[in-house]
Amino acid sequence: MLKIENYINGELCEPLSNLYLDNFDPSTGEVYSLIPDSSGDDVNLAVEAAKKAFPGWSKKSAEQRHDYLIKIAALIERDLDSLAEVESVDNGKPKTLAKAVDIPRAVSNFKFYATAAMHTATEAHETVGQAINYTLRQPLGVVGCISPWNLPLYLFTWKIAPALAAGCCVVAKPSEITPMTAYLLSKLCIEAGLPAGVLNIIHGLGAKAGNAIVAHKDVKAISFTGGTKTGQDIARIAAPMFKKLSLELGGKNPNIIFADCDYEETLKTTVLSSFSNQGQICLCGSRIFVERPLYERFKTDFIEKVSQLKIGDPLISQTNIGAVVSKQHLEKVLSYIDLAKEEGGKILLGGKAVKLGDRCANGWFIEPTIIENLAHDCRTNQEEIFGAVVTITPFDAEKEVLNYANSVEYGLSATVWTENLSRAHRIAERLESGIIWVNSWLLRDLRTPFGGMKQSGVGREGGFEALRFFTEEKNVCIKINYGG
Ligand code: NDP
């Protein structure tokens, strides 16, 4: 059986303990590879390698770093098809989705930050008659990047690329549930000739290997994407060491639909924003609020459209809904459907696990589920489910729907559908979300600030924000003798 290896100091290697964890294919429910169960000892080796590489890497010109990152982007692009298949097997997502979204985005992440680093500028402040100040932004040193399982290579590279472009050396850990494309990335980095130690990839459990990265005194910053509870644990460890933290956490995003929306576009996109990647995208809109005059029509058409989605083998091109990432996650999603029923929710569609035939007979599949008749403040409407479950609720007034939308402890993203421009601006201004889409969803421009407010995180990724995160600012004040 294939054994995944760590990538430390430019080489692939076994974990020091020689212990391995099972890696499952969610569409078959079977173990198909083994992952290093790395410990603090492996992390120590990785940090030492990164420290050794840092002086050389940080002193390279932006153009030299660009050349390495562009080479890696080209290699990912070359392997687009095989990486998409691997991502699909590892995560359960439809291969078509991995090929259209996940892997191309990993390419874009490297391209974007390779070039962005060549366009940075720093400020100068003149203290008139006395001095000139200028700002230096210097790479932090060794940094940690920890990513989740839902968009494995996409989010892993979204962190690694800016860190490397900024001149930092990286110790990174993908989710132990979806490690395979990160492993293949390490092979591509070797092929690209990335200098030893610049990027190190450690596989293993969050509570063990991930924790060791966060706790290591020589890791200067942590860029983390994952659940809010894990983010809190990380903040607790990192805060006394005054580490820089970027935390992209959970969400419970509202999708607000006004009666004057472009109906067909709203309907089509809401199916995607509800159920893409089995609802396992942090930006999915899981609470759908529909203005009452449109409610019954929308409900009927939405159920009809969602019932046409094909649940199936993720490797088959007709499949819209693949497997849920793990048995444990499947059980969590099903438990929320039970909770919704207990809270008085009416299941309009779905609600059950699905048994498929052939090679997927033991896979973890669930019907896309639509629930109505729930109060905005019940647990189902307040807690993150992170699966193919949405609730729909009618509303009568703007103020009322804003209250519903903002009533959760999260504040990641929101979607608003209306043809009324003033209303769109007004609602966007009042929503407590870091990312707001009007008449669209998941329309991404990598230059824009990305992240959430409230319990959805701290800091912003994207654009120059991410490059700045991986640097330390230094002000140099030069007194000028104007009397000479
Ligand atoms: P987790 O928080 O469970 O895990 C995220 C990563 O952190 C994994 O690599 C995990 O390793 C690791 N980890 C777990 N515990 C620790 C620890 N104590 N110290 C250091 N690292 C640790 O999240 P999931 O993987 O379950 O991902 C789903 C969550 O991610 C959802 O809440 C979702 O909303 C959020 N998310 C947020 C996004 C955003 O941009 N805001 C984007 C995508 C997802 P391991 O897997 O081995 O446990």
Side-chain angles (χ1 to χ4, degrees):
M1 187 170 297
L2 173 67
K3 269 187 180 169
I4 287 176
E5 292 172 294
N6 286 333
Y7 171 50
I8 300 176
N9 202 24
E11 287 175 0
L12 298 173
C13 51
E14 297 192 339
L16 291 171
S17 64
N18 215 19
L19 294 174
Y20 286 84
L21 304 160
D22 290 337
N23 187 25
F24 290 87
D25 172 347
S27 66
T28 64
E30 278 158 25
V31 175
Y32 82 103
S33 61
L34 298 173
I35 321 156
D37 181 7
S38 306
S39 69
D41 294 337
D42 301 286
V43 170
N44 289 343
L45 285 183
V47 174
E48 282 316 307
K51 276 167 65 180
K52 215 167 86 205
F54 179 68
W57 183 250
S58 59
K59 289 286 173 278
K60 285 196 190 304
S61 67
E63 190 174 348
Q64 286 171 319
R65 290 201 289 266
H66 158 276
D67 291 350
Y68 284 109
L69 299 190
I70 287 292
K71 243 186 242 172
I72 296 169
L75 292 173
I76 299 174
E77 212 160 15
R78 179 195 71 189
D79 294 351
L80 175 70
D81 196 61
S82 57
L83 284 166
E85 180 152 335
V86 165
E87 200 73 295
S88 168
V89 170
D90 211 28
N91 172 280
K93 67 178 65 204
K95 181 183 166 188
T96 48
L97 182 70
K99 198 168 172 182
V101 177
D102 292 69
I103 311 303
R105 176 57 191 276
V107 174
S108 300
N109 290 341
F110 275 105
K111 284 185 180 168
F112 180 84
Y113 280 107
T115 48
M118 296 208 296
H119 296 271
T120 54
T122 58
E123 303 88 344
H125 300 91
E126 185 186 8
T127 313
V128 177
Q130 296 181 62
I132 183 100
N133 297 269
Y134 62 88
T135 309
L136 285 179
R137 287 209 174 82
Q138 297 174 317
L140 285 174
V142 179
V143 297
C145 297
I146 300 177
S147 58
W149 49 256
N150 65 323
L151 301 166
L153 193 64
Y154 173 134
L155 289 175
F156 196 56
T157 54
W158 180 231
K159 300 180 172 303
I160 289 170
L164 295 179
C168 291
C169 291
V170 176
V171 178
K173 193 194 91 63
S175 169
E176 137 249 346
I177 301 165
T178 53
M180 196 57 93
T181 46
Y183 171 55
L184 297 180
L185 176 69
S186 54
K187 290 185 164 187
L188 295 181
C189 289
I190 293 171
E191 191 178 340
L194 189 70
V198 167
L199 171 64
N200 305 273
I201 300 177
I202 298 286
H203 295 274
L205 297 168
K208 195 165 159 187
N211 187 79
I213 296 172
V214 177
H216 199 295
K217 68 176 179 28
D218 293 330
V219 174
K220 306 289 184 208
I222 300 292
S223 173
F224 169 80
T225 299
T228 296
K229 159 82 180 57
T230 315
Q232 287 166 345
D233 293 343
I234 288 175
R236 211 171 287 120
I237 299 169
M241 291 185 268
F242 305 111
K243 290 189 187 203
K244 266 182 123 173
L245 283 181
S246 168
L247 303 174
E248 300 296 338
L249 311 176
K252 187 74 180 175
N253 310 314
N255 178 2
I256 303 172
I257 300 172
F258 285 95
D260 69 351
C261 66
D262 174 340
Y263 187 69
E264 290 308 322
E265 190 62 27
T266 305
L267 190 61
K268 188 179 78 184
T269 309
T270 297
V271 173
L272 292 176
S273 67
S274 303
F275 299 115
S276 291
N277 204 35
Q278 298 72 249
Q280 302 166 151
I281 300 180
C282 51
L283 306 164
C284 278
S286 53
R287 296 178 295 147
I288 304 172
F289 300 111
V290 188
E291 205 175 6
R292 199 172 302 272
L294 192 66
Y295 186 76
E296 288 302 325
R297 180 182 171 203
F298 178 85
K299 183 170 100 178
T300 308
D301 292 347
F302 186 56
I303 293 170
E304 164 71 16
K305 272 223 178 311
V306 175
S307 62
Q308 288 165 9
L309 294 175
K310 194 170 167 359
I311 308 166
D313 184 338
L315 295 178
I316 291 174
S317 62
Q318 292 81 8
T319 294
N320 305 114
I321 306 273
V324 176
V325 75
S326 66
K327 186 160 185 286
Q328 194 190 18
H329 194 56
L330 177 93
E331 282 160 6
K332 176 189 157 186
V333 176
L334 289 171
S335 77
Y336 268 103
I337 294 171
D338 287 342
L339 174 71
K341 288 184 209 159
E342 280 166 31
E343 290 183 319
K346 181 175 169 201
I347 310 292
L348 297 175
L349 186 75
K352 294 188 293 299
V354 179
K355 278 283 156 216
L356 297 177
D358 302 327
R359 75 170 202 100
C360 296
N362 296 317
W364 305 312
F365 296 85
I366 193 165
E367 293 169 330
T369 299
I370 307 170
I371 308 173
E372 75 167 349
N373 201 33
L374 284 169
H376 76 277
D377 56 356
C378 69
R379 278 184 59 206
T380 309
N381 267 331
Q382 293 286 314
E383 297 176 15
E384 184 183 43
I385 301 174
F386 211 55
V389 179
V390 295
T391 63
I392 59 170
T393 309
F395 69 90
D396 294 294
E398 260 181 54
K399 214 169 157 195
E400 175 194 5
V401 77
L402 271 168
N403 176 39
Y404 293 168
N406 290 339
S407 67
V408 293
E409 61 180 16
Y410 297 105
L412 186 55
S413 73
T415 306
V416 183
W417 294 94
T418 178
E419 292 293 294
N420 179 330
L421 192 59
S422 288
R423 174 154 59 198
H425 282 298
R426 201 164 50 234
I427 299 271
E429 196 262 332
R430 292 171 191 176
L431 277 169
E432 294 168 0
S433 305
I435 304 151
I436 293 159
W437 279 290
V438 176
N439 299 333
S440 63
W441 177 71
L442 211 56
L443 184 60
R444 291 279 293 119
D445 182 325
L446 302 191
R447 294 169 301 176
T448 59
F450 179 92
M453 48 176 77
K454 294 155 80 177
Q455 298 284 305
S456 290
V458 175
R460 294 292 180 271
E461 297 186 318
F464 290 117
E465 291 286 329
L467 285 176
R468 289 202 186 112
F469 173 75
F470 290 110
T471 60
E472 189 80 80
E473 288 175 344
K474 201 185 263 179
N475 185 63
V476 181
C477 173
I478 300 182
K479 186 173 179 214
I480 299 171
N481 180 358
Y482 287 100

